[in-house]
């Protein structure tokens, strides 16, 4: 079992983030000492934390991460990752189009100057 400070250091998740994740039922401590309310995490929590860190780096929202964690078999994780990838591709296309529009706008301003 790991104290919050140890677990925070191991996972890169801040103590505040760990508290928030417990608050929204995303990842709760493995054990809470009833005497002093200290929270402890175990090895299973460690692997879940690493998954959450990775999902967050992929741009998953809290709600999306909750839906992943609610499915304990992770059967739909691949589908969610594919959906996220498709969303990112669509956003990239939209941004590329915006860049092209900005370039065209800038070019039209230069033509008028000449």
């Amino acid at each position: 079992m790991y104290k919050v400070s140890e677990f925070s250091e191991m996972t890169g998740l801040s103590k505040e983030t760990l508290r928030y994740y417990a608050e929204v039922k995303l990842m709760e401590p493995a054990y809470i000492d009833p005497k002093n309310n200290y929270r402890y995490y175990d090895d299973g929590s460690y692997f879940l934390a690493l998954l959450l860190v990775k999902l967050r780096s992929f741009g998953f929202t809290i709600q999306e991460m909750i839906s992943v964690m609610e499915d304990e078999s992770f059967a739909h994780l691949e589908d969610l990752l594919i959906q996220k990838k498709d969303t990112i591709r669509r956003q990239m296309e939209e941004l590329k189009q915006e860049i092209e529009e900005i370039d065209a706008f800038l070019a039209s301003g230069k033509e008028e100057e000449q």
Side-chain angles (χ1 to χ4, degrees):
M1 298 286 251
Y2 308 100
K3 293 179 181 178
V4 173
S5 57
E6 296 169 319
F7 196 71
S8 173
E9 197 172 302
M10 290 169 53
T11 62
L13 295 170
S14 70
K15 294 175 190 177
E16 294 77 20
T17 298
L18 290 170
R19 267 190 226 98
Y20 177 69
Y21 283 1
E23 194 177 300
V24 297
K25 308 282 190 236
L26 185 56
M27 185 182 72
E28 298 180 67
Y31 175 73
I32 300 176
D33 189 323
K35 296 176 191 167
N36 55 22
N37 285 332
Y38 284 6
R39 295 168 294 134
Y40 295 91
Y41 294 87
D42 60 11
D43 290 334
S45 303
Y46 176 73
F47 293 109
L48 292 176
L50 293 182
L51 175 61
L52 292 173
V53 167
K54 188 55 82 174
L55 294 176
R56 190 168 69 175
S57 75
F58 293 153
F60 275 63
T61 65
I62 292 294
Q63 193 56 49
E64 289 170 329
M65 291 191 295
I66 289 171
S67 71
V68 167
M69 300 308 271
E70 285 175 347
D71 178 14
E72 293 178 6
S73 69
F74 299 108
H76 301 289
L77 180 56
E78 184 177 357
D79 294 336
L80 290 170
L81 288 169
I82 290 169
Q83 287 175 7
K84 182 57 75 173
K85 188 168 70 170
D86 291 342
T87 299
I88 292 170
R89 279 193 178 124
R90 192 171 43 258
Q91 290 171 334
M92 288 171 58
E93 285 301 317
E94 290 170 2
L95 290 171
K96 184 179 175 189
Q97 185 175 348
E98 285 181 36
I99 288 171
E100 290 170 1
E101 289 174 13
I102 290 171
D103 286 343
F105 184 73
L106 289 171
S108 70
K110 289 181 181 178
E111 287 173 4
E112 289 176 9
E113 289 175 6
Q114 295 175 355

